[in-house]
């Protein structure tokens, strides 16, 4: 306690000396002593407490506080994703455009032919037009539609045109066609007595096998041709003709020689003449198949009419 009183008395004496010095400066007109504003305020305060001054003297000087860091940005809470408005259903492609010919089921009916009525070959040919329904159109020279008697009792259906057929626009006029003509005549018919056509109407490049999309594009025209002619019997030459008309993937070697039926019409599968040219030993089997057809019509070998 005595120590605090001594300090207080000492401070009072210092303050009194300072007050006198200031009065002297003011009376002498000298320069006013510049003092710290906080200290001057403390000196002028009549109720200055010695304890406060003592704490001020004892407190260590501190570096000015660094400016406080800016507050971290507040991240707003995530907003729940709102469901998108339902979009109108997109129409199915088949509703926007007409399905390509190769995508349609092959039923033998055509847009230009009235269902249930017997079409004419001229109607079917007009409907076929300058056909661009499959890629075979890119390399062809002529469409090979068919030839012969439009009311024939017997129809021969082959696979597709070869090079000579493509040039002339007529089916079976090349080497295989010459053999077919001999087969027809051996059965007792003239070529003009029967009707001859192919599954595909344009030549496959390099005489390759027709591909499924090409067969599908042409098949309705083949079926329409058969409806137009309405034969009593069909000879399917080779696997493509037999498998296309019968919807049967059985190999021609097992299918040949056995009567089948296509839409109520008798159908005999046999080897294609082009195959017989490569395999002459198989001509005997093909002739046996054709003899069954002759028997169906009541014909004898070499008999005409």
């Amino acid at each position: 306690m005595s120590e605090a009183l001594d300090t207080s008395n000492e401070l009072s004496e210092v303050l009194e000396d300072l007050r006198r010095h200031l009065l002297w400066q003011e009376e002498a007109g000298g320069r006013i002593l510049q003092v710290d504003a906080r200290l001057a305020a403390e000196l002028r305060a009549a109720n200055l407490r010695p304890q406060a001054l003592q704490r001020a003297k004892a407190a260590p000087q501190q570096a000015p506080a660094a400016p406080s860091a800016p507050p971290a940005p507040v991240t707003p809470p995530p907003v729940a994703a709102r469901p998108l408005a339902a979009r109108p259903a997109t129409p199915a492609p088949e509703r926007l455009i007409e399905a390509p010919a190769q995508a349609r089921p092959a039923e033998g009916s055509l847009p230009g032919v009235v269902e249930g009525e017997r079409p004419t070959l001229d109607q079917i040919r007009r409907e076929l037009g300058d056909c661009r329904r499959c890629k075979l159109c890119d390399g062809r020279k002529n469409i090979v539609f068919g030839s012969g008697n439009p009311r024939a009792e017997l129809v021969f259906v082959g696979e597709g045109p070869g090079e000579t057929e493509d040039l002339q626009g007529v089916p079976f006029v090349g080497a295989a066609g010459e053999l077919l003509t001999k087969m027809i005549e051996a059965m007792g018919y003239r070529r003009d007595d029967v009707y001859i056509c192919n599954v595909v109407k344009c030549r496959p490049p390099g005489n390759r096998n027709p591909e499924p999309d090409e067969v599908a594009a042409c098949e309705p025209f083949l079926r329409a041709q058969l409806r137009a002619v309405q034969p009593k019997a069909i000879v399917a030459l080779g696997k493509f003709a037999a498998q296309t008309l019968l919807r049967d993937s059985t190999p021609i070697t097992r299918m040949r020689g056995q009567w089948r039926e296509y839409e109520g019409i008798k159908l005999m599968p046999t080897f294609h003449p082009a195959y017989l040219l490569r395999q002459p030993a198989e001509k005997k089997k093909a002739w046996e198949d054709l003899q069954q057809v002759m028997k169906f019509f009541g014909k004898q070998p070499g008999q005409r009419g």
Side-chain angles (χ1 to χ4, degrees):
M1 177 66 72
S2 60
E3 190 174 321
L5 290 174
D6 291 341
T7 303
S8 178
N9 292 334
E10 182 179 3
L11 180 59
S12 297
E13 292 177 359
V14 170
L15 291 175
E16 181 60 22
D17 290 339
L18 181 59
R19 186 180 67 81
R20 291 173 182 169
H21 179 74
L22 290 174
L23 290 174
W24 174 77
Q25 286 270 14
E26 188 175 338
E27 291 173 357
R31 185 170 54 87
I32 300 175
L33 179 65
Q34 300 297 319
V35 296
D36 182 83
R38 188 179 66 175
L39 180 59
E42 291 178 352
L43 292 174
R44 286 193 294 267
N47 58 348
L48 179 65
R49 295 182 182 180
Q51 295 88 345
L53 290 174
Q54 181 67 24
R55 286 196 301 270
K57 288 179 65 178
Q61 291 185 352
Q62 298 180 357
S68 58
V74 180
T75 304
V79 180
R82 289 181 290 182
L84 295 174
R87 301 168 70 177
T90 302
E94 59 269 21
R95 296 182 184 177
L96 297 176
I97 59 173
E98 185 180 5
Q102 59 266 33
R104 303 176 196 145
E107 300 173 350
S109 59
L110 300 171
V113 178
V114 178
E115 185 67 30
E117 293 186 5
R118 182 179 184 178
T120 68
L121 293 172
D122 287 341
Q123 283 179 301
I124 301 166
R125 183 62 186 90
R126 284 195 299 270
E127 185 61 33
L128 178 62
D130 182 27
C131 185
R132 318 296 294 181
R133 293 170 178 82
C134 79
K135 57 185 175 294
L136 290 182
C137 67
D138 294 335
R140 71 160 183 244
K141 291 181 173 59
N142 286 291
I143 293 176
V144 182
F145 181 68
S147 67
N149 184 356
R151 291 291 184 264
E153 64 179 9
L154 179 61
V155 170
F156 290 83
V157 179
E159 175 183 317
E163 182 179 10
T164 307
E165 289 78 10
D166 182 44
L167 291 171
Q168 298 186 28
V170 180
F172 283 94
V173 291
E178 292 178 3
L179 178 55
L180 177 61
T181 301
K182 292 178 181 179
M183 294 164 63
I184 292 171
E185 291 175 348
M187 294 174 69
Y189 292 96
R190 294 184 302 267
R191 186 178 167 110
D192 291 341
D193 294 331
V194 301
Y195 189 78
I196 305 172
C197 60
N198 286 304
V199 173
V200 296
K201 313 305 183 190
C202 299
R203 180 195 179 196
N207 292 344
R208 64 162 171 76
N209 292 333
E211 297 177 354
D213 62 316
E214 298 161 357
V215 172
C218 258
E219 188 179 351
F221 295 95
L222 169 62
R223 293 179 179 272
Q225 284 174 295
L226 296 175
R227 282 179 53 208
V229 177
Q230 294 189 5
K232 294 179 182 178
I234 300 169
V235 176
L237 301 169
K239 70 173 184 178
F240 281 95
Q243 292 178 356
T244 298
L245 292 175
L246 296 175
R247 294 284 197 270
D248 188 341
S249 60
T250 302
I252 190 65
T253 53
R254 290 168 45 197
M255 196 187 304
R256 57 146 293 270
Q258 303 176 42
W259 278 111
R260 303 290 293 271
E261 191 171 288
Y262 166 79
E263 295 187 0
I265 303 171
K266 300 281 282 185
L267 186 148
M268 176 58 68
T270 192
F271 294 124
H272 194 284
Y275 172 78
L276 297 176
L277 290 176
R278 298 192 301 269
Q279 302 290 335
E282 301 285 31
K283 289 181 180 180
K284 180 180 178 181
K285 294 178 181 178
W287 178 237
E288 292 172 354
D289 301 340
L290 296 181
Q291 284 181 310
Q292 292 193 60
V293 178
M294 292 165 59
K295 184 178 179 179
F296 173 75
F297 285 109
K299 299 177 73 68
Q300 297 297 322
Q303 179 183 349
R304 296 278 183 182

